Amino acid sequence: MEQRVYNLKDFGAALDGTTDDTAALQAACTAINRNRGGRLIIADRCKVVGVVGSSLVTFLRCNGVSIECIGDALIQDVQTYTGDQTAELFTFTACNNVDVKLRVSSQIAVTTSTANNRGLYAVVLRQGCRGVNVDLDLAGCRGGLRPTKAHDDPASYKSTSIRGRIRARGTLYPYVSQFGADDVTLELFVDVCGRNFFLYGSDAHRLTVHSKNQQSTSLIEAFNGHGCSDVDVRITDLESDDCNSAAAVVSIEWGDATVATHRNIRLNMNTKSPSVNPWGKTVEFSKASDGGGALSPDRIGRGHVLDGFELTGRIEGNTGNNNMAMAVGAFAAPDVFRRWRVHDLTSLIGVLNCPLQTLGDIALFENVYSNSAIFTSNKTNGLVRFIRCTATEYTATMDNIDRHEYIASDITSGTNQNYSNNKRLIDTVVPNAQRRARPR
């Protein structure tokens, strides 16, 4: 069925960038709600005032809603947010077939951290929206796209089949899924943002992130017993020059004491730390890194599970960097890691410090080149297998009881080869011509 077209000017909007068009925008969207769908065209500068603590516009149970900024059209939110005040621009509740193409400007949410936790969310999805396409250009705002539900809401309240692109500058959370989304494919172009993405309790995400000057760590998080599953993230960050030196690029975390499982987490990293204010880490693992409280850091084994982890790509650190490390807390039985695989990875300068304290099966390192050390800490009878790997040293903790196998790997370089006691060397004397080429 063809969508009915609504022009914002027909509802009294001046669209001059000076006159308050809030009432006109609300009236147009009320008409779309009444018709249970329609297409709204915004053809010029629309000035609005965000409603603190609420949504400016809510669409309820609509099927086929399109909101489109044409050309250089812009929705400009002029509300001033203080403290922890927030607002929502467009909220879609139990809607299907949603298409939004927006340019939005609002109060800049980010300076150097996530401390400025206030401002406008551009698009919010609630109660299980289906078939959502987004094309967002954001300047400022607390958040760009936010599918959300409470952790104990029914599974049907998860929004699904979300596709699109987000460009953001000065946005705290360009994309955040709060127990709220499944089957999501997004491309993010982000500059001077807080957390480029924040996932918790969310499934089947494919994110491609083009990042510059991220100000705080992007998170794959577990809360209230809900981890993330089938998350595939590709991050490119080669141009940053002003990051938060204490922050990691991305962290896999368990944010409270409730037992949770992360399953099938895949990271492809193509990152280079800036020469000024280098990242503290590139990939990290953390327990109860919630900014403080009795659980931060959490050093008790809870029964958390990481079932399926994969890391590939090229990580170029800086002096003092850990390219992979524990952040806070410590894993201990009955916590367990299973199906761990690092492969086709180049790690320069920084150490790969792999937290395998409670390895459940085989941890596989294949075609990994490091011009520094690969460090493993394992306290169970797991197996760590290195295939066609090169490192200056392979360093294990003194109380390792796991087994290490080195297959066709270069273990002759370096002077401090502190292997596990239970080591097995298989075809490790590889002629120079056959060794994996060093990166140029």
Side-chain angles (χ1 to χ4, degrees):
M1 185 175 67
E2 187 175 349
Q3 287 181 319
R4 181 173 177 180
V5 178
Y6 299 84
N7 193 310
L8 198 53
K9 281 196 170 184
D10 295 338
F11 293 86
L15 299 181
D16 57 11
T18 301
T19 305
D20 184 356
D21 292 324
T22 303
L25 180 63
Q26 290 173 321
C29 293
T30 297
I32 292 175
N33 257 319
R34 189 181 301 120
N35 194 48
R36 289 290 183 262
R39 181 186 180 203
L40 176 63
I41 295 175
I42 302 170
D44 217 321
R45 298 180 71 88
C46 177
K47 176 182 173 182
V48 298
V49 182
V51 181
V52 171
S54 186
S55 177
L56 192 73
V57 173
T58 297
F59 296 97
L60 178 62
R61 298 188 183 90
C62 293
N63 184 11
V65 179
S66 177
I67 305 173
E68 185 175 358
C69 288
I70 302 295
D72 293 331
L74 172 70
I75 299 175
Q76 182 181 6
D77 171 34
V78 297
Q79 178 66 268
T80 298
Y81 301 92
T82 61
D84 60 355
Q85 291 180 336
T86 62
E88 299 173 5
L89 180 58
F90 295 112
T91 299
F92 297 89
T93 303
C95 293
N96 296 326
N97 302 315
V98 174
D99 195 340
V100 288
K101 183 178 182 181
L102 304 176
R103 292 182 66 235
V104 180
S105 70
S106 186
Q107 178 176 304
I108 296 294
V110 173
T111 52
T112 59
S113 72
T114 57
N116 298 325
N117 206 358
R118 56 179 174 264
L120 180 75
Y121 284 103
V123 177
V124 177
L125 309 177
R126 299 182 186 275
Q127 294 186 19
C129 295
R130 306 285 187 271
V132 178
N133 291 287
V134 298
D135 188 348
L136 305 180
D137 282 287
L138 310 172
C141 300
R142 185 186 186 199
L145 176 63
R146 183 192 183 203
T148 182
K149 74 177 188 69
H151 72 92
D152 53 358
D153 279 341
S156 61
Y157 277 21
K158 272 192 175 182
S159 295
T160 64
S161 299
I162 300 171
R163 304 288 184 267
R165 177 192 69 98
I166 300 173
R167 294 185 182 272
R169 181 177 177 84
T171 305
L172 186 62
Y173 303 127
Y175 175 68
V176 53
S177 175
Q178 178 182 359
F179 308 111
D182 185 3
D183 185 17
V184 177
T185 301
L186 293 172
E187 189 167 17
L188 309 179
F189 300 83
V190 280
D191 188 1
V192 196
C193 290
R195 305 192 192 281
N196 290 339
F197 60 89
F198 189 172
L199 310 180
Y200 50 106
S202 299
D203 306 312
H205 274 65
R206 292 161 296 279
L207 305 180
T208 301
V209 183
H210 309 272
S211 175
K212 183 178 179 182
N213 295 329
Q214 179 180 261
Q215 297 298 303
S216 193
T217 301
S218 293
L219 298 178
I220 300 170
E221 187 94 7
F223 276 115
N224 300 108
H226 297 269
C228 298
S229 65
D230 298 308
V231 174
D232 192 334
V233 180
R234 304 178 67 88
I235 299 176
T236 299
D237 187 346
L238 301 175
E239 299 180 3
S240 291
D241 55 18
D242 185 16
C243 302
N244 181 346
S245 61
V249 178
V250 62
S251 183
I252 299 171
E253 298 190 351
W254 288 260
D256 60 8
T258 307
V259 175
T261 296
H262 288 306
R263 183 172 285 109
N264 299 332
I265 309 298
R266 294 175 292 274
L267 302 178
N268 178 271
M269 310 294 294
N270 184 19
T271 62
K272 180 178 181 180
S273 293
S275 59
V276 178
N277 292 333
W279 291 110
K281 305 175 186 70
T282 304
V283 179
E284 71 176 14
F285 302 83
S286 179
K287 290 177 66 179
S289 179
D290 58 0
L295 286 177
S296 186
D298 184 6
R299 302 189 182 280
I300 298 174
R302 305 284 180 183
H304 297 313
V305 176
L306 176 58
D307 183 12
F309 170 74
E310 185 175 352
L311 175 65
T312 60
R314 180 186 175 97
I315 300 172
E316 187 169 349
N318 212 308
T319 303
N321 276 48
N322 281 323
N323 287 340
M324 178 190 292
M326 273 294 298
V328 299
F331 293 95
D335 298 330
V336 64
F337 286 10
R338 293 193 293 263
R339 297 191 298 122
W340 171 286
R341 188 178 182 215
V342 177
H343 67 99
D344 299 300
L345 176 72
T346 296
S347 171
L348 299 180
I349 302 178
V351 173
L352 283 178
N353 189 352
C354 306
L356 300 176
Q357 287 96 325
T358 55
L359 179 61
D361 53 6
I362 298 175
L364 179 63
F365 295 80
E366 185 173 8
N367 295 327
V368 176
Y369 171 82
S370 172
N371 66 353
S372 187
I374 301 175
F375 182 95
T376 58
S377 52
N378 317 304
K379 299 176 182 177
T380 62
N381 288 301
L383 171 63
V384 184
R385 179 174 290 158
F386 298 89
I387 303 174
R388 294 184 298 278
C389 293
T390 297
T392 59
E393 53 184 297
Y394 303 79
T395 305
T397 57
M398 297 303 294
D399 58 350
N400 272 36
I401 58 174
D402 61 290
R403 293 166 293 146
H404 283 201
E405 288 185 352
Y406 302 87
I407 303 171
S409 293
D410 181 354
I411 64 168
T412 62
S413 61
T415 58
N416 180 20
Q417 300 293 351
N418 179 16
Y419 307 125
S420 154
N421 290 329
N422 300 321
K423 65 180 181 291
R424 184 182 182 204
L425 308 182
I426 305 171
D427 188 28
T428 57
V429 181
V430 180
N432 289 333
Q434 296 179 25
R435 290 179 182 169
R436 198 161 76 86
R438 273 55 170 171
R440 301 182 179 213

